[in-house]
Amino acid sequence: MRTSFVKVTFPVLLLLLGLVLPACSGGGGGGGGPVGPIAVQVTGVNPSSTTAGVLSTFTAVLTGTAPYTYAWNFGGGATPNTSSSASPAVTLAGAGTYNCTVTVNNSVGTPDTYSFTLTVIAGGGGGGGGTFPTDPTQLAWVTTWYTTLPALYSANRVFQDSAHRTLADGVVAEMNSERATAGQPAMAMEPHMEALAQAHSTHMAQAGFWGHTNPAGLGPTERLESVDPVAHSSGMAENIGAGYQTVADAMNAWMNSAQHRDNILDPRWTHCGVGCYTRSGDPQGYNIYWTVTFIAADANPATHSWVEPGDTP
């Protein structure tokens, strides 16, 4: 099992050398009695933006003892507008901003209500309207690995299936839990950053390589510029991993590496995306490939001119 990281600060580019770690040993906690149920705390909702007329699936970023009950309200204009599902799928009819809430409860009996503003952009399922790169290497990567992903707001988003979507959501939740413990603000999952991460995980698995730079020579910054050509960020970072079958295993590996941990806890990052892709019978022997992208956004990412999965040049 392997992990590696990279951090880039704009306009000065600082690439840290990749770090390869051995497989993490299991087990271990130590003494102490059993821990009782922990009250639920909601720290975010994914995604924070969507496209009008597109069916979108939402999840709450939370901590506490499962199981949970949910009460969603999407502020009018959504079909359905309320839901008790853990991952409601709704369609927002028109562009604009919606003041929404989700209330989550568990066995402790102290519900937590989280208020969030949902940004809905016009498009009704058309693309992001972004400008495709003119560089032929970047264009080939975008049209082979990024625009071929499932639609951002489909039931399983950009993932192979609901199980991989759940894994990605679990990593976001655990990273924000670690950030809360360290006194840092939560990161919002950004759908395009999620697609960017998923494209790299898919590429690594299917093309049989492992690293931040793909066989065509594109690193994290070149891949970001390929889908968001007008830079609206002051920095980015990327963690990758391979062979970790669970959220706990991946997070344990990253949090026990100083550089990966620094990326996860860096207070500059406002948004993130997690990709995970499984290749059965992987000749490299890893089977599952992870990518986490972090960004310090200078503006609401929903206003960027993104290339989106499904777009054509």
Side-chain angles (χ1 to χ4, degrees):
M1 290 176 280
R2 309 173 72 181
T3 62
S4 184
F5 74 95
V6 66
K7 184 177 291 185
V8 182
T9 303
F10 304 129
V12 178
L13 301 184
L14 175 62
L15 288 176
L16 303 181
L17 295 177
L19 177 67
V20 178
L21 297 179
C24 294
S25 60
V35 177
I38 300 172
V40 66
Q41 181 179 14
V42 185
T43 58
V45 168
N46 293 323
S48 58
S49 63
T50 185
T51 302
V54 175
L55 184 68
S56 304
T57 302
F58 294 85
T59 56
V61 179
L62 50 83
T63 58
T65 304
Y68 309 109
T69 61
Y70 297 81
W72 296 81
N73 187 307
F74 288 94
T79 305
N81 189 58
T82 60
S83 176
S84 59
S85 170
S87 301
V90 305
T91 302
L92 279 298
T97 56
Y98 295 81
N99 295 319
C100 312
T101 61
V102 58
T103 299
V104 185
N105 200 359
N106 64 1
S107 61
V108 176
T110 304
D112 187 29
T113 297
Y114 181 82
S115 300
F116 61 100
T117 300
L118 177 62
T119 301
V120 181
I121 58 177
T131 302
F132 278 80
T134 57
D135 178 84
T137 302
Q138 290 180 313
L139 181 62
W141 179 82
V142 169
T143 56
T144 302
W145 300 107
Y146 181 86
T147 59
T148 53
L149 293 170
L152 294 181
Y153 305 110
S154 56
N156 293 322
R157 305 202 301 271
V158 294
F159 300 102
Q160 293 166 277
D161 50 38
S162 60
H164 287 80
R165 183 195 69 204
T166 299
L167 287 173
D169 288 342
V171 169
V172 174
E174 288 301 314
M175 290 194 301
N176 279 332
S177 177
E178 294 288 353
R179 288 171 70 90
T181 300
Q184 304 298 352
M187 298 177 291
M189 189 283 286
E190 208 296 309
H192 304 88
M193 297 298 291
E194 180 176 79
L196 188 68
Q198 182 66 7
H200 189 57
S201 289
T202 304
H203 192 187
M204 286 192 293
Q206 293 191 6
F209 76 96
W210 187 84
H212 295 286
T213 301
N214 65 31
L218 301 180
T221 55
E222 291 86 4
R223 287 183 269 115
L224 174 61
E225 291 165 356
S226 297
V227 299
D228 185 22
V230 181
H232 295 283
S233 61
S234 56
M236 73 167 299
E238 180 178 86
N239 285 352
I240 60 175
Y244 299 102
Q245 302 300 314
T246 68
V247 170
D249 288 344
M251 285 297 299
N252 183 59
W254 289 323
M255 292 302 291
N256 280 285
S257 159
Q259 294 87 351
H260 295 85
R261 179 186 177 91
D262 286 349
N263 276 349
I264 291 171
L265 300 182
D266 195 320
R268 293 178 300 161
W269 310 140
T270 58
H271 296 78
C272 66
V274 177
C276 57
Y277 184 89
T278 296
R279 178 180 179 182
S280 299
D282 177 21
Q284 296 195 99
Y286 297 124
N287 296 319
I288 187 167
Y289 293 76
W290 298 86
T291 304
V292 184
T293 55
F294 308 88
I295 193 170
D298 297 332
N300 183 350
T303 66
H304 294 199
S305 181
W306 295 96
V307 176
E308 289 192 357
D311 283 357
T312 56

